[in-house]
Amino acid sequence: MASPIKNLAEGAVLFGSGLALRLFTGDVEIPIFTLTKVGVVLMVIGGIEILYGIYRTASSRSSKSGS
């Protein structure tokens, strides 16, 4: 299983990539989907990854202090 730090890093990269797509690709036209919507989806997935990394970090700290 991946470490919580890896989840946080992946989430930050996805969120940053999604934010860049959302901000800078408003004028780009693609026939299938818009890049701004892809940016929003990446931001949501990145946010979930960040929250999961925070959750795993907190749960690993609480299990270590309880032992």
Side-chain angles (χ1 to χ4, degrees):
M1 201 181 244
S3 70
I5 300 299
K6 185 176 177 185
N7 289 113
L8 291 170
E10 287 175 356
V13 168
L14 283 173
F15 189 85
S17 301
L19 185 62
L21 284 173
R22 176 78 173 110
L23 293 176
F24 301 118
T25 61
D27 298 334
V28 179
E29 295 290 329
I30 295 179
I32 299 172
F33 45 79
T34 61
L35 291 178
T36 54
K37 289 181 183 176
V38 172
V40 170
V41 170
L42 285 176
M43 287 170 57
V44 169
I45 294 171
I48 292 170
E49 281 280 334
I50 290 171
L51 290 175
Y52 183 61
I54 291 170
Y55 167 75
R56 288 195 51 213
T57 302
S59 66
S60 69
R61 285 185 184 171
S62 66
S63 67
K64 287 181 182 177
S65 65
S67 317

